[in-house]
Amino acid sequence: MSLLQRLEMRQGQALVMTPQLLQAIKLLQLSQLDLAAYVDAELERNPLLERIEAEGAPEREASEAPADGEYDGGDGAEPESWLASDMTPSRSEIEGDLDTRLDNVFADENPVPREAGSGDMLSLTPAPYGNTGGSFDGELPDFESTLTAETSLREHLAAQLDLATQSPSDRLIGSFLIDAVDDAGYLREDIDGVAERLGASLDDVARVLKLVQSFDPPGVAARDLAECLAIQLREQDRFDPAMQALVSRLDLVAKRDFPALRRLCGVDDEDLVEMLAEIRRLDPKPGRAFGAHAVEVLIPDVFVRPAPDGSWLVELNSEALPRVLVNQTYYARVSKGAVADGDKAFLSECLQTANWLTRSLEQRARTILKVATEIVRQQDAFFLHGVAHLRPLNLKTVAEAIGMHESTVSRVTSNKSIGTSRGTLEMKYFFTAAIPGAAGTAAHSSEAVRHRIKQLVDAEASDVLSDDALVQRLRDEGVDIARRTVAKYRESLRIPSSIDRRRAKMASAAR
């Protein structure tokens, strides 16, 4: 067998992923915020791109503004020459209106200023807002500059640390511990690791940790929930042996195993109820009151509303779409002055990129609208009757209906939402697994079955339904479902087991 080197020419077809194509695919799966950031970056980078402002009459340029003293009412009336008249009152008129003399002031006050060469005429021009001294540039301060920043949990703890100790080493350890406290107020670093990283002794780290745990809010810098509750109870002087035993077994509290708690704490039913009520009044997340992030409102990409003929109107949210255009006039003007080859190449690249971006944004909007329209058509019963009528749906069904690839539909539905009369829902919400129907009936959506389980549990009276009972109820309604699936859906809804629900009902009845 001989090994030879030779050249061969072959002809074939292959899909070439150009950078523009890769970026177009990336634009499909971007959320509104990510897309806005991407467009803003392109606007800064590309001088030929221009943002389309909101609809409405443009503001008048400074050159079009009326001259001083010119009437701009538009009704043809002759303007009054009120600017030429002297509107400044005399000193005697002011003293008559105020029923006092203007020089009747305290000795430490400044006299009323007079304008130079005005005789008895006073300068009544008000001082600029906020100008307490120094120069004034004629502009009022921005509204944002007058707002106070919200104090974060770290800043709140650091300020207390500065007052609590003067030792440089303790401040170093305390700052490290404060940095390791999360937004909920819990310490997420092991003190052994902290001591090793800082080169400090374990006793010093533990001592400074106790100091930080004494700061406000109560319970901060705790390492677990039991320690957080214990710190708050110590501050209230309620951490007696019975309460200490109760806090040490929070797993029994979660299970509502009241007989075991009574034996453990050595108290009767009345004392146990009071102790549990005290536990509920404590804050399990002491850090959430500081530096909370602003809630971001989910803005829908598509709106769905009923049409007069009973169908559904699907339209894009124009406020959520970035609108840009290519400034061809500016390109023509600049390209005439371009002499160097590098300038011409740069302008050509900018024009190509700008045209590609505008086309990609239009194609993205059309694709989103097309996919959303098909989703609404497939889930028509949901929009009419609610979650119980949600149909099983997958990406392949939508892709085949609109003639697109399944991966394209997956990208379009990522990070997108639909605004409906039942709230704003993510597009992925409408894609649910199918649960077969009993006796050959139609399949059911997993989300609809989950909703039905919640309805059955909420409707419980004295009898608590076990998972087996829920399975039987659902099979009577035509849903062929396994017990483990019911248990999985119940846990996803954060519904306790039948034993825990029965204990909770017994405790409520005892109270």
Side-chain angles (χ1 to χ4, degrees), residues 71-104:
Y71 181 72
D72 196 24
D75 56 359
E78 291 294 331
E80 298 180 3
S81 57
W82 57 272
L83 287 178
S85 63
D86 192 356
M87 301 294 292
T88 307
S90 64
R91 180 186 180 108
S92 59
E93 292 176 348
I94 297 177
E95 291 178 344
D97 293 339
L98 299 178
D99 194 21
T100 185
R101 294 180 58 82
L102 292 178
D103 56 2
N104 183 19

PDB file of all heavy atoms in Angstrom, residues 71-104:
ATOM      1  N   TYR A  71     -44.992  87.835  19.512  1.00  0.00           N
ATOM      2  CA  TYR A  71     -46.181  87.067  19.881  1.00  0.00           C
ATOM      3  C   TYR A  71     -46.332  85.883  18.947  1.00  0.00           C
ATOM      4  O   TYR A  71     -46.240  86.028  17.731  1.00  0.00           O
ATOM      5  CB  TYR A  71     -47.422  87.962  19.800  1.00  0.00           C
ATOM      6  CG  TYR A  71     -48.702  87.276  20.194  1.00  0.00           C
ATOM      7  CD1 TYR A  71     -48.964  86.966  21.515  1.00  0.00           C
ATOM      8  CD2 TYR A  71     -49.632  86.920  19.223  1.00  0.00           C
ATOM      9  CE1 TYR A  71     -50.134  86.350  21.879  1.00  0.00           C
ATOM     10  CE2 TYR A  71     -50.809  86.295  19.574  1.00  0.00           C
ATOM     11  CZ  TYR A  71     -51.051  86.006  20.908  1.00  0.00           C
ATOM     12  OH  TYR A  71     -52.208  85.400  21.260  1.00  0.00           O
ATOM     13  N   ASP A  72     -46.559  84.707  19.525  1.00  0.00           N
ATOM     14  CA  ASP A  72     -46.659  83.489  18.725  1.00  0.00           C
ATOM     15  C   ASP A  72     -47.981  82.789  18.956  1.00  0.00           C
ATOM     16  O   ASP A  72     -48.086  81.586  18.940  1.00  0.00           O
ATOM     17  CB  ASP A  72     -45.492  82.540  19.076  1.00  0.00           C
ATOM     18  CG  ASP A  72     -45.323  81.465  18.018  1.00  0.00           C
ATOM     19  OD1 ASP A  72     -45.735  81.691  16.876  1.00  0.00           O
ATOM     20  OD2 ASP A  72     -44.770  80.410  18.368  1.00  0.00           O
ATOM     21  N   GLY A  73     -49.028  83.579  19.257  1.00  0.00           N
ATOM     22  CA  GLY A  73     -50.330  82.987  19.537  1.00  0.00           C
ATOM     23  C   GLY A  73     -51.027  82.480  18.311  1.00  0.00           C
ATOM     24  O   GLY A  73     -51.816  81.556  18.366  1.00  0.00           O
ATOM     25  N   GLY A  74     -50.801  83.096  17.180  1.00  0.00           N
ATOM     26  CA  GLY A  74     -51.390  82.591  15.962  1.00  0.00           C
ATOM     27  C   GLY A  74     -52.791  83.070  15.708  1.00  0.00           C
ATOM     28  O   GLY A  74     -53.445  82.608  14.777  1.00  0.00           O
ATOM     29  N   ASP A  75     -53.347  83.975  16.518  1.00  0.00           N
ATOM     30  CA  ASP A  75     -54.713  84.422  16.317  1.00  0.00           C
ATOM     31  C   ASP A  75     -54.789  85.776  15.646  1.00  0.00           C
ATOM     32  O   ASP A  75     -55.862  86.360  15.517  1.00  0.00           O
ATOM     33  CB  ASP A  75     -55.457  84.470  17.657  1.00  0.00           C
ATOM     34  CG  ASP A  75     -54.739  85.342  18.667  1.00  0.00           C
ATOM     35  OD1 ASP A  75     -53.667  85.872  18.307  1.00  0.00           O
ATOM     36  OD2 ASP A  75     -55.249  85.471  19.797  1.00  0.00           O
ATOM     37  N   GLY A  76     -53.678  86.355  15.228  1.00  0.00           N
ATOM     38  CA  GLY A  76     -53.671  87.602  14.506  1.00  0.00           C
ATOM     39  C   GLY A  76     -53.778  88.828  15.366  1.00  0.00           C
ATOM     40  O   GLY A  76     -53.846  89.950  14.856  1.00  0.00           O
ATOM     41  N   ALA A  77     -53.818  88.677  16.678  1.00  0.00           N
ATOM     42  CA  ALA A  77     -53.951  89.835  17.552  1.00  0.00           C
ATOM     43  C   ALA A  77     -52.636  90.570  17.647  1.00  0.00           C
ATOM     44  O   ALA A  77     -51.572  89.986  17.530  1.00  0.00           O
ATOM     45  CB  ALA A  77     -54.418  89.393  18.944  1.00  0.00           C
ATOM     46  N   GLU A  78     -52.722  91.862  17.823  1.00  0.00           N
ATOM     47  CA  GLU A  78     -51.529  92.679  17.959  1.00  0.00           C
ATOM     48  C   GLU A  78     -50.905  92.431  19.327  1.00  0.00           C
ATOM     49  O   GLU A  78     -51.612  92.478  20.337  1.00  0.00           O
ATOM     50  CB  GLU A  78     -51.873  94.162  17.800  1.00  0.00           C
ATOM     51  CG  GLU A  78     -52.286  94.534  16.377  1.00  0.00           C
ATOM     52  CD  GLU A  78     -51.137  94.389  15.409  1.00  0.00           C
ATOM     53  OE1 GLU A  78     -49.978  94.549  15.855  1.00  0.00           O
ATOM     54  OE2 GLU A  78     -51.372  94.121  14.218  1.00  0.00           O
ATOM     55  N   PRO A  79     -49.633  92.203  19.400  1.00  0.00           N
ATOM     56  CA  PRO A  79     -48.997  91.975  20.695  1.00  0.00           C
ATOM     57  C   PRO A  79     -48.916  93.256  21.487  1.00  0.00           C
ATOM     58  O   PRO A  79     -48.747  94.335  20.942  1.00  0.00           O
ATOM     59  CB  PRO A  79     -47.617  91.453  20.326  1.00  0.00           C
ATOM     60  CG  PRO A  79     -47.342  92.062  18.982  1.00  0.00           C
ATOM     61  CD  PRO A  79     -48.663  92.150  18.280  1.00  0.00           C
ATOM     62  N   GLU A  80     -49.055  93.101  22.783  1.00  0.00           N
ATOM     63  CA  GLU A  80     -48.878  94.229  23.668  1.00  0.00           C
ATOM     64  C   GLU A  80     -47.407  94.376  24.015  1.00  0.00           C
ATOM     65  O   GLU A  80     -46.730  93.395  24.287  1.00  0.00           O
ATOM     66  CB  GLU A  80     -49.692  94.039  24.953  1.00  0.00           C
ATOM     67  CG  GLU A  80     -51.198  93.957  24.703  1.00  0.00           C
ATOM     68  CD  GLU A  80     -51.953  93.779  26.003  1.00  0.00           C
ATOM     69  OE1 GLU A  80     -51.295  93.788  27.062  1.00  0.00           O
ATOM     70  OE2 GLU A  80     -53.177  93.633  25.955  1.00  0.00           O
ATOM     71  N   SER A  81     -46.951  95.594  24.023  1.00  0.00           N
ATOM     72  CA  SER A  81     -45.528  95.828  24.312  1.00  0.00           C
ATOM     73  C   SER A  81     -45.321  95.858  25.817  1.00  0.00           C
ATOM     74  O   SER A  81     -44.915  96.867  26.384  1.00  0.00           O
ATOM     75  CB  SER A  81     -45.087  97.145  23.668  1.00  0.00           C
ATOM     76  OG  SER A  81     -45.898  98.201  24.132  1.00  0.00           O
ATOM     77  N   TRP A  82     -45.672  94.724  26.445  1.00  0.00           N
ATOM     78  CA  TRP A  82     -45.561  94.686  27.908  1.00  0.00           C
ATOM     79  C   TRP A  82     -44.125  94.530  28.357  1.00  0.00           C
ATOM     80  O   TRP A  82     -43.786  94.869  29.473  1.00  0.00           O
ATOM     81  CB  TRP A  82     -46.416  93.555  28.473  1.00  0.00           C
ATOM     82  CG  TRP A  82     -46.076  92.211  27.932  1.00  0.00           C
ATOM     83  CD1 TRP A  82     -46.578  91.627  26.823  1.00  0.00           C
ATOM     84  CD2 TRP A  82     -45.128  91.298  28.473  1.00  0.00           C
ATOM     85  NE1 TRP A  82     -46.023  90.395  26.615  1.00  0.00           N
ATOM     86  CE2 TRP A  82     -45.130  90.159  27.623  1.00  0.00           C
ATOM     87  CE3 TRP A  82     -44.283  91.316  29.593  1.00  0.00           C
ATOM     88  CZ2 TRP A  82     -44.320  89.074  27.855  1.00  0.00           C
ATOM     89  CZ3 TRP A  82     -43.492  90.223  29.828  1.00  0.00           C
ATOM     90  CH2 TRP A  82     -43.510  89.117  28.963  1.00  0.00           C
ATOM     91  N   LEU A  83     -43.263  94.016  27.489  1.00  0.00           N
ATOM     92  CA  LEU A  83     -41.871  93.881  27.900  1.00  0.00           C
ATOM     93  C   LEU A  83     -41.189  95.228  28.017  1.00  0.00           C
ATOM     94  O   LEU A  83     -40.226  95.395  28.760  1.00  0.00           O
ATOM     95  CB  LEU A  83     -41.109  93.019  26.898  1.00  0.00           C
ATOM     96  CG  LEU A  83     -41.423  91.519  26.947  1.00  0.00           C
ATOM     97  CD1 LEU A  83     -40.638  90.799  25.868  1.00  0.00           C
ATOM     98  CD2 LEU A  83     -41.111  90.957  28.305  1.00  0.00           C
ATOM     99  N   ALA A  84     -41.706  96.200  27.229  1.00  0.00           N
ATOM    100  CA  ALA A  84     -41.088  97.522  27.283  1.00  0.00           C
ATOM    101  C   ALA A  84     -41.520  98.326  28.490  1.00  0.00           C
ATOM    102  O   ALA A  84     -40.894  99.310  28.855  1.00  0.00           O
ATOM    103  CB  ALA A  84     -41.424  98.303  26.003  1.00  0.00           C
ATOM    104  N   SER A  85     -42.627  97.919  29.110  1.00  0.00           N
ATOM    105  CA  SER A  85     -43.120  98.670  30.259  1.00  0.00           C
ATOM    106  C   SER A  85     -42.332  98.313  31.500  1.00  0.00           C
ATOM    107  O   SER A  85     -41.772  97.223  31.609  1.00  0.00           O
ATOM    108  CB  SER A  85     -44.601  98.376  30.472  1.00  0.00           C
ATOM    109  OG  SER A  85     -44.776  97.017  30.773  1.00  0.00           O
ATOM    110  N   ASP A  86     -42.308  99.218  32.459  1.00  0.00           N
ATOM    111  CA  ASP A  86     -41.579  99.012  33.708  1.00  0.00           C
ATOM    112  C   ASP A  86     -42.513  98.361  34.705  1.00  0.00           C
ATOM    113  O   ASP A  86     -43.459  98.976  35.182  1.00  0.00           O
ATOM    114  CB  ASP A  86     -41.090 100.365  34.238  1.00  0.00           C
ATOM    115  CG  ASP A  86     -40.083 100.192  35.355  1.00  0.00           C
ATOM    116  OD1 ASP A  86     -39.847  99.030  35.731  1.00  0.00           O
ATOM    117  OD2 ASP A  86     -39.559 101.211  35.819  1.00  0.00           O
ATOM    118  N   MET A  87     -42.298  97.064  34.958  1.00  0.00           N
ATOM    119  CA  MET A  87     -43.151  96.304  35.860  1.00  0.00           C
ATOM    120  C   MET A  87     -42.640  96.312  37.283  1.00  0.00           C
ATOM    121  O   MET A  87     -43.278  95.769  38.175  1.00  0.00           O
ATOM    122  CB  MET A  87     -43.249  94.847  35.379  1.00  0.00           C
ATOM    123  CG  MET A  87     -43.802  94.695  33.972  1.00  0.00           C
ATOM    124  SD  MET A  87     -45.517  95.201  33.879  1.00  0.00           S
ATOM    125  CE  MET A  87     -46.283  93.911  34.837  1.00  0.00           C
ATOM    126  N   THR A  88     -41.473  96.926  37.559  1.00  0.00           N
ATOM    127  CA  THR A  88     -40.899  96.901  38.896  1.00  0.00           C
ATOM    128  C   THR A  88     -41.577  97.955  39.772  1.00  0.00           C
ATOM    129  O   THR A  88     -41.578  99.135  39.425  1.00  0.00           O
ATOM    130  CB  THR A  88     -39.402  97.177  38.842  1.00  0.00           C
ATOM    131  OG1 THR A  88     -38.795  96.274  37.918  1.00  0.00           O
ATOM    132  CG2 THR A  88     -38.774  97.006  40.205  1.00  0.00           C
ATOM    133  N   PRO A  89     -42.194  97.570  40.903  1.00  0.00           N
ATOM    134  CA  PRO A  89     -42.864  98.560  41.750  1.00  0.00           C
ATOM    135  C   PRO A  89     -41.843  99.417  42.492  1.00  0.00           C
ATOM    136  O   PRO A  89     -40.683  99.032  42.678  1.00  0.00           O
ATOM    137  CB  PRO A  89     -43.671  97.686  42.705  1.00  0.00           C
ATOM    138  CG  PRO A  89     -42.916  96.413  42.783  1.00  0.00           C
ATOM    139  CD  PRO A  89     -42.311  96.199  41.421  1.00  0.00           C
ATOM    140  N   SER A  90     -42.314 100.559  42.924  1.00  0.00           N
ATOM    141  CA  SER A  90     -41.442 101.459  43.677  1.00  0.00           C
ATOM    142  C   SER A  90     -41.371 101.029  45.126  1.00  0.00           C
ATOM    143  O   SER A  90     -42.143 100.191  45.596  1.00  0.00           O
ATOM    144  CB  SER A  90     -41.983 102.893  43.591  1.00  0.00           C
ATOM    145  OG  SER A  90     -43.256 102.966  44.212  1.00  0.00           O
ATOM    146  N   ARG A  91     -40.411 101.646  45.852  1.00  0.00           N
ATOM    147  CA  ARG A  91     -40.218 101.295  47.264  1.00  0.00           C
ATOM    148  C   ARG A  91     -41.455 101.651  48.079  1.00  0.00           C
ATOM    149  O   ARG A  91     -41.879 100.894  48.962  1.00  0.00           O
ATOM    150  CB  ARG A  91     -38.976 102.024  47.793  1.00  0.00           C
ATOM    151  CG  ARG A  91     -38.673 101.730  49.269  1.00  0.00           C
ATOM    152  CD  ARG A  91     -37.534 102.599  49.774  1.00  0.00           C
ATOM    153  NE  ARG A  91     -37.264 102.302  51.162  1.00  0.00           N
ATOM    154  CZ  ARG A  91     -36.201 101.651  51.602  1.00  0.00           C
ATOM    155  NH1 ARG A  91     -35.313 101.209  50.745  1.00  0.00           N
ATOM    156  NH2 ARG A  91     -36.014 101.428  52.877  1.00  0.00           N
ATOM    157  N   SER A  92     -42.056 102.805  47.791  1.00  0.00           N
ATOM    158  CA  SER A  92     -43.230 103.221  48.563  1.00  0.00           C
ATOM    159  C   SER A  92     -44.404 102.283  48.338  1.00  0.00           C
ATOM    160  O   SER A  92     -45.179 101.994  49.270  1.00  0.00           O
ATOM    161  CB  SER A  92     -43.605 104.659  48.193  1.00  0.00           C
ATOM    162  OG  SER A  92     -43.889 104.741  46.794  1.00  0.00           O
ATOM    163  N   GLU A  93     -44.577 101.767  47.101  1.00  0.00           N
ATOM    164  CA  GLU A  93     -45.662 100.825  46.831  1.00  0.00           C
ATOM    165  C   GLU A  93     -45.473  99.527  47.592  1.00  0.00           C
ATOM    166  O   GLU A  93     -46.423  98.957  48.133  1.00  0.00           O
ATOM    167  CB  GLU A  93     -45.737 100.569  45.340  1.00  0.00           C
ATOM    168  CG  GLU A  93     -46.188 101.772  44.530  1.00  0.00           C
ATOM    169  CD  GLU A  93     -46.144 101.489  43.034  1.00  0.00           C
ATOM    170  OE1 GLU A  93     -45.540 100.442  42.666  1.00  0.00           O
ATOM    171  OE2 GLU A  93     -46.684 102.281  42.253  1.00  0.00           O
ATOM    172  N   ILE A  94     -44.209  99.047  47.633  1.00  0.00           N
ATOM    173  CA  ILE A  94     -43.949  97.793  48.369  1.00  0.00           C
ATOM    174  C   ILE A  94     -44.191  97.982  49.858  1.00  0.00           C
ATOM    175  O   ILE A  94     -44.803  97.130  50.525  1.00  0.00           O
ATOM    176  CB  ILE A  94     -42.507  97.330  48.110  1.00  0.00           C
ATOM    177  CG1 ILE A  94     -42.310  97.014  46.618  1.00  0.00           C
ATOM    178  CG2 ILE A  94     -42.172  96.110  48.944  1.00  0.00           C
ATOM    179  CD1 ILE A  94     -40.901  96.633  46.271  1.00  0.00           C
ATOM    180  N   GLU A  95     -43.715  99.105  50.430  1.00  0.00           N
ATOM    181  CA  GLU A  95     -43.916  99.342  51.856  1.00  0.00           C
ATOM    182  C   GLU A  95     -45.389  99.498  52.176  1.00  0.00           C
ATOM    183  O   GLU A  95     -45.851  99.069  53.250  1.00  0.00           O
ATOM    184  CB  GLU A  95     -43.132 100.591  52.274  1.00  0.00           C
ATOM    185  CG  GLU A  95     -41.623 100.404  52.243  1.00  0.00           C
ATOM    186  CD  GLU A  95     -40.869 101.670  52.617  1.00  0.00           C
ATOM    187  OE1 GLU A  95     -41.495 102.752  52.597  1.00  0.00           O
ATOM    188  OE2 GLU A  95     -39.679 101.569  52.948  1.00  0.00           O
ATOM    189  N   GLY A  96     -46.179 100.086  51.240  1.00  0.00           N
ATOM    190  CA  GLY A  96     -47.609 100.209  51.483  1.00  0.00           C
ATOM    191  C   GLY A  96     -48.313  98.866  51.466  1.00  0.00           C
ATOM    192  O   GLY A  96     -49.223  98.620  52.259  1.00  0.00           O
ATOM    193  N   ASP A  97     -47.899  97.983  50.554  1.00  0.00           N
ATOM    194  CA  ASP A  97     -48.520  96.657  50.492  1.00  0.00           C
ATOM    195  C   ASP A  97     -48.165  95.806  51.701  1.00  0.00           C
ATOM    196  O   ASP A  97     -48.993  95.044  52.222  1.00  0.00           O
ATOM    197  CB  ASP A  97     -48.086  95.945  49.216  1.00  0.00           C
ATOM    198  CG  ASP A  97     -48.641  96.624  47.970  1.00  0.00           C
ATOM    199  OD1 ASP A  97     -49.640  97.358  48.094  1.00  0.00           O
ATOM    200  OD2 ASP A  97     -48.056  96.424  46.873  1.00  0.00           O
ATOM    201  N   LEU A  98     -46.915  95.930  52.203  1.00  0.00           N
ATOM    202  CA  LEU A  98     -46.480  95.113  53.334  1.00  0.00           C
ATOM    203  C   LEU A  98     -46.786  95.743  54.680  1.00  0.00           C
ATOM    204  O   LEU A  98     -46.610  95.092  55.720  1.00  0.00           O
ATOM    205  CB  LEU A  98     -44.973  94.850  53.234  1.00  0.00           C
ATOM    206  CG  LEU A  98     -44.501  94.090  51.989  1.00  0.00           C
ATOM    207  CD1 LEU A  98     -42.982  93.941  51.999  1.00  0.00           C
ATOM    208  CD2 LEU A  98     -45.151  92.717  51.924  1.00  0.00           C
ATOM    209  N   ASP A  99     -47.200  97.008  54.680  1.00  0.00           N
ATOM    210  CA  ASP A  99     -47.509  97.729  55.910  1.00  0.00           C
ATOM    211  C   ASP A  99     -46.319  97.758  56.853  1.00  0.00           C
ATOM    212  O   ASP A  99     -46.435  97.551  58.062  1.00  0.00           O
ATOM    213  CB  ASP A  99     -48.728  97.108  56.609  1.00  0.00           C
ATOM    214  CG  ASP A  99     -49.283  98.043  57.694  1.00  0.00           C
ATOM    215  OD1 ASP A  99     -48.996  99.259  57.613  1.00  0.00           O
ATOM    216  OD2 ASP A  99     -49.966  97.548  58.606  1.00  0.00           O
ATOM    217  N   THR A 100     -45.152  97.984  56.296  1.00  0.00           N
ATOM    218  CA  THR A 100     -43.939  98.104  57.089  1.00  0.00           C
ATOM    219  C   THR A 100     -42.872  98.763  56.237  1.00  0.00           C
ATOM    220  O   THR A 100     -43.062  98.962  55.035  1.00  0.00           O
ATOM    221  CB  THR A 100     -43.444  96.730  57.581  1.00  0.00           C
ATOM    222  OG1 THR A 100     -42.328  96.901  58.442  1.00  0.00           O
ATOM    223  CG2 THR A 100     -43.057  95.853  56.416  1.00  0.00           C
ATOM    224  N   ARG A 101     -41.759  99.093  56.864  1.00  0.00           N
ATOM    225  CA  ARG A 101     -40.648  99.677  56.141  1.00  0.00           C
ATOM    226  C   ARG A 101     -39.636  98.579  55.781  1.00  0.00           C
ATOM    227  O   ARG A 101     -39.429  97.638  56.550  1.00  0.00           O
ATOM    228  CB  ARG A 101     -39.965 100.756  56.990  1.00  0.00           C
ATOM    229  CG  ARG A 101     -40.860 101.975  57.256  1.00  0.00           C
ATOM    230  CD  ARG A 101     -40.118 102.990  58.112  1.00  0.00           C
ATOM    231  NE  ARG A 101     -38.871 103.416  57.487  1.00  0.00           N
ATOM    232  CZ  ARG A 101     -38.790 104.367  56.537  1.00  0.00           C
ATOM    233  NH1 ARG A 101     -39.893 104.979  56.121  1.00  0.00           N
ATOM    234  NH2 ARG A 101     -37.622 104.722  56.035  1.00  0.00           N
ATOM    235  N   LEU A 102     -39.021  98.702  54.626  1.00  0.00           N
ATOM    236  CA  LEU A 102     -38.084  97.683  54.181  1.00  0.00           C
ATOM    237  C   LEU A 102     -36.799  97.670  54.978  1.00  0.00           C
ATOM    238  O   LEU A 102     -36.070  96.680  54.974  1.00  0.00           O
ATOM    239  CB  LEU A 102     -37.761  97.881  52.693  1.00  0.00           C
ATOM    240  CG  LEU A 102     -38.928  97.613  51.734  1.00  0.00           C
ATOM    241  CD1 LEU A 102     -38.510  97.894  50.312  1.00  0.00           C
ATOM    242  CD2 LEU A 102     -39.413  96.188  51.867  1.00  0.00           C
ATOM    243  N   ASP A 103     -36.477  98.795  55.649  1.00  0.00           N
ATOM    244  CA  ASP A 103     -35.277  98.796  56.471  1.00  0.00           C
ATOM    245  C   ASP A 103     -35.535  98.308  57.880  1.00  0.00           C
ATOM    246  O   ASP A 103     -34.666  98.362  58.742  1.00  0.00           O
ATOM    247  CB  ASP A 103     -34.668 100.202  56.506  1.00  0.00           C
ATOM    248  CG  ASP A 103     -35.674 101.253  56.990  1.00  0.00           C
ATOM    249  OD1 ASP A 103     -36.816 100.853  57.329  1.00  0.00           O
ATOM    250  OD2 ASP A 103     -35.314 102.441  56.997  1.00  0.00           O
ATOM    251  N   ASN A 104     -36.758  97.785  58.133  1.00  0.00           N
ATOM    252  CA  ASN A 104     -37.113  97.256  59.447  1.00  0.00           C
ATOM    253  C   ASN A 104     -36.662  95.796  59.512  1.00  0.00           C
ATOM    254  O   ASN A 104     -37.458  94.868  59.383  1.00  0.00           O
ATOM    255  CB  ASN A 104     -38.610  97.378  59.676  1.00  0.00           C
ATOM    256  CG  ASN A 104     -39.019  96.909  61.073  1.00  0.00           C
ATOM    257  OD1 ASN A 104     -38.188  96.829  61.966  1.00  0.00           O
ATOM    258  ND2 ASN A 104     -40.291  96.604  61.234  1.00  0.00           N
TER     259      ASN A 104
END
